[in-house]
């Protein structure tokens, strides 16, 4: 139970394992965290091992006395050993002094104080010792034996092992740091695996130092050799309205741009690192007009139980395991159609140019390549002869922004 009276909801963290990093290159690995409790602060720290302690039982002042009595009671005497073919006659038990004529009627001198006739008399100690020939009745003090020490277990504090043998800093290369749930990692040896153990904790506010809950997060990092193309692919962010209505199907594409030469390196996967319940992802498809562009079609029909924010996260991989930065998009699920405002920007340019140069002969070859949603290549060779004139240029640029309301 939280101090504000609510039941706490622990934070959530989703990390793809393994994470691939390139040797001798510092990589920032962002750990995506979220908390359903509004206002909570989420922090990350290294998992640790806390040794346990066992309280040592203190010796009792009576312990030696009772142990000595037990040992003496069960100690065998040499005279009690069995002798072959000889049976020793059992000695009769000594008579009870309390049943003798001396002690069966009065608590006389030398009578044991535990006899019934000595009960309520001044007899103390082992036997009756009195100036008279007997111990008279009077006030007696009963001696209470000492309390036997308890045999129950003493409280122990068990060790707390959060990292299970992969504790920081021995499990990672030197210089590895963790700040604001972002891991800074640089592997110096290729083809090596590292295990990471982190605790994600939530706090009731930014100044609190007492965690409400702690969630373990563990994943692997693989240091791979230098690839043919080390440029990471790029995921194109979604634009437009991200509000979706309950019960209405939402269809959208997430596109990936291959920043390497498509003839040498391919995009092999668009991995969903944080999914939304009920959302279906199609296959990775290449654009028919651009070899560097690939996309995945997603379909989703939000349910009433998904009201609020729903987060989808994806990571793109090449065939050499070079991964993109994780891209996350947040959808807002609503019950009624709301006006979703999008902004469109249009830019137009008008220019008038008169150019005059000295008489020259110029040969120019230019090549330009653009890779967006389509690719075009133009090669032009021109030879011109001009005469000397004057040059004047007038350029006008206008930009307009239009806001459009659409219903989702």
């Amino acid at each position: 139970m939280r101090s504000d009276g609510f039941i706490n909801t622990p934070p959530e963290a989703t990390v793809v394992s393994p994470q691939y990093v390139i040797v001798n290159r510092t990589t920032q690995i962002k750990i995506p965290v979220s908390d359903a409790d509004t206002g909570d602060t989420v922090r990350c720290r290294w998992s640790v091992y806390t040794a346990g302690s066992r309280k040592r039982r203190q010796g009792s002042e009576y312990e030696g006395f009772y142990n000595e009595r037990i040992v003496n009671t069960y100690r065998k005497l040499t005279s009690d050993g069995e002798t072959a073919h000889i049976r020793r006659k059992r000695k009769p038990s000594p008579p009870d002094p309390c049943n003798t004529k001396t002690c069966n009627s009065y608590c006389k001198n030398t009578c044991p104080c535990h006899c019934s006739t000595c009960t309520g008399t001044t007899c103390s100690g082992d036997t009756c010792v009195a100036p008279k020939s007997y111990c008279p009745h009077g006030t007696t003090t009963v001696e209470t034996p000492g309390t036997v020490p308890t045999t129950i277990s003493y409280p122990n504090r068990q060790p707390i092992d959060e990292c299970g043998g992969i504790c920081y800093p021995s499990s990672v290369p030197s210089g590895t740091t963790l700040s604001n749930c972002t891991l800074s990692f640089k592997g110096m040896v290729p083809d090596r695996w590292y295990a990471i153990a982190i605790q994600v904790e939530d706090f009731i506010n930014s100044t609190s130092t007492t965690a409400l809950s702690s969630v373990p997060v563990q994943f692997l990092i693989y240091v791979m050799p230098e690839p043919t193309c080390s440029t990471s692919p790029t995921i194109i962010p979604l634009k437009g309205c991200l509000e979706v209505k309950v019960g209405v199907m939402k269809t959208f594409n997430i596109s990936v741009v291959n920043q390497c030469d498509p003839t040498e390196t391919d995009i092999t996967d668009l991995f969903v690192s944080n999914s939304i319940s009920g959302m279906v992802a199609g296959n990775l498809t290449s654009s028919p007009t651009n070899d560097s562009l690939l996309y995945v079609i997603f379909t989703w029909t939000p349910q009433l139980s998904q009201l609020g924010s729903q987060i989808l996260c994806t990571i793109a991989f090449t065939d050499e395991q070079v991964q993109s930065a994780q891209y996350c998009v947040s959808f807002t699920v609503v019950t009624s159609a709301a006006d979703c405002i999008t902004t469109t920007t249009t830019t137009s340019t008008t220019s008038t140019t008169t150019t005059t140069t000295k008489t020259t002969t110029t040969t120019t070859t230019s090549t330009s390549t653009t890779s967006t949603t389509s690719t075009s290549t133009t090669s032009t060779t021109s030879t011109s002869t001009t005469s000397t004139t004057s040059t004047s240029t007038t350029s006008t640029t206008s930009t307009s922004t239009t806001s459009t309301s659409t219903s989702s």
Side-chain angles (χ1 to χ4, degrees), residues 254-266:
I254 292 184
S255 301
V256 183
V257 178
N258 185 1
Q259 302 292 351
C260 300
D261 187 346
T263 62
E264 295 181 356
T265 303
D266 292 330

Side-chain angles (χ1 to χ4, degrees), residues 82-277:
E82 294 185 359
T83 304
H85 308 294
I86 298 176
R87 177 172 293 180
R88 184 164 52 88
K89 186 176 181 181
R90 182 177 297 175
K91 295 180 180 180
S93 301
D96 185 0
C98 295
N99 293 331
T100 61
K101 293 181 179 181
T102 305
C103 300
N104 61 357
S105 57
Y106 297 97
C107 185
K108 297 181 180 180
N109 282 336
T110 69
C111 288
C113 289
H114 67 268
C115 295
S116 60
T117 54
C118 293
T119 303
T121 66
T122 58
C123 183
S124 61
D126 295 332
T127 59
C128 174
V129 178
K132 299 181 181 180
S133 60
Y134 62 91
C135 290
H137 287 271
T139 304
T140 59
T141 301
V142 180
E143 183 179 358
T144 304
T147 304
V148 180
T150 180
T151 59
I152 63 174
S153 300
Y154 283 77
N156 298 330
R157 189 185 71 183
Q158 299 296 327
I160 302 174
D161 189 1
E162 296 177 337
C163 42
I166 54 172
C167 301
Y168 173 85
S170 60
S171 64
V172 294
S174 60
T176 302
T177 59
L178 177 65
S179 177
N180 295 327
C181 292
T182 299
L183 182 70
S184 180
F185 184 93
K186 183 178 182 180
M188 306 300 293
V189 181
D191 296 320
R192 178 168 293 188
W193 292 89
Y194 293 93
I196 306 297
I198 293 173
Q199 298 294 127
V200 178
E201 299 175 331
D202 58 340
F203 299 81
I204 197 166
N205 53 48
S206 59
T207 60
S208 176
T209 58
T210 303
L212 300 173
S213 57
S214 185
V215 178
V217 177
Q218 298 180 359
F219 58 95
L220 297 174
I221 296 179
Y222 176 69
V223 181
M224 60 183 183
E226 188 73 28
T228 303
C229 179
S230 60
T231 305
S232 302
T234 302
I235 299 178
I236 301 176
L238 292 180
K239 296 181 180 180
C241 184
L242 298 179
E243 286 188 355
V244 290
K245 185 180 178 182
V246 172
V248 178
M249 179 180 291
K250 174 75 172 180
T251 302
F252 59 93
N253 296 354
I254 292 184
S255 301
V256 183
V257 178
N258 185 1
Q259 302 292 351
C260 300
D261 187 346
T263 62
E264 295 181 356
T265 303
D266 292 330
I267 303 295
T268 57
D269 190 17
L270 181 66
F271 181 78
V272 178
S273 56
N274 188 65
S275 61
I276 298 177
S277 178

Side-chain angles (χ1 to χ4, degrees), residues 1-6 204 212:
M1 182 70 71
R2 299 157 52 97
S3 59
D4 54 9
F6 294 95
I204 197 166
L212 300 173

